Amino acid sequence: MQKLALQPVDSPQDLGLALYRARKALGLTQADVALAAGVGLRFVVELEAGKTTVRLNKVLQVVQALGARLGMQGVPLADDVAEEA
């Protein structure tokens, strides 16, 4: 069984590498991921290569297709922050 860990993501290149590793661990091709995420193959190729993109919704689709989730560390939980009106 592979060890799973929190992968720090501080740049588009870090995210691309994390997605590449997740895809390889699942034995998927880039085409498999594109199909599962509902995005184009070129988008997956460029995302894994660390290309900067403003298409966050597509990035999240790829992350979810790989069974992963994005999160933010060092941010107060919703219960710890008063809701603003």
Side-chain angles (χ1 to χ4, degrees):
M1 186 170 182
Q2 280 189 316
K3 260 175 68 172
L4 300 178
L6 179 63
Q7 171 69 48
V9 174
D10 298 315
S11 69
Q13 293 79 17
D14 291 344
L15 179 59
L17 180 59
L19 295 173
Y20 167 81
R21 288 178 177 163
R23 178 176 62 77
K24 286 296 191 176
L26 293 169
L28 300 173
T29 66
Q30 290 174 325
D32 293 333
V33 173
L35 182 63
V39 299
L41 175 60
R42 181 176 176 180
F43 183 82
V44 174
V45 170
E46 291 176 348
L47 186 59
E48 285 188 2
K51 180 178 178 185
T52 303
T53 180
V54 294
R55 302 297 307 257
L56 183 58
N57 62 323
K58 285 189 174 186
V59 172
L60 293 174
Q61 286 174 246
V62 171
V63 169
Q64 291 167 356
L66 292 168
R69 293 176 59 199
L70 288 184
M72 292 179 59
Q73 192 171 15
V75 177
L77 297 175
D79 294 343
D80 296 339
V81 178
E83 294 294 322
E84 294 183 18

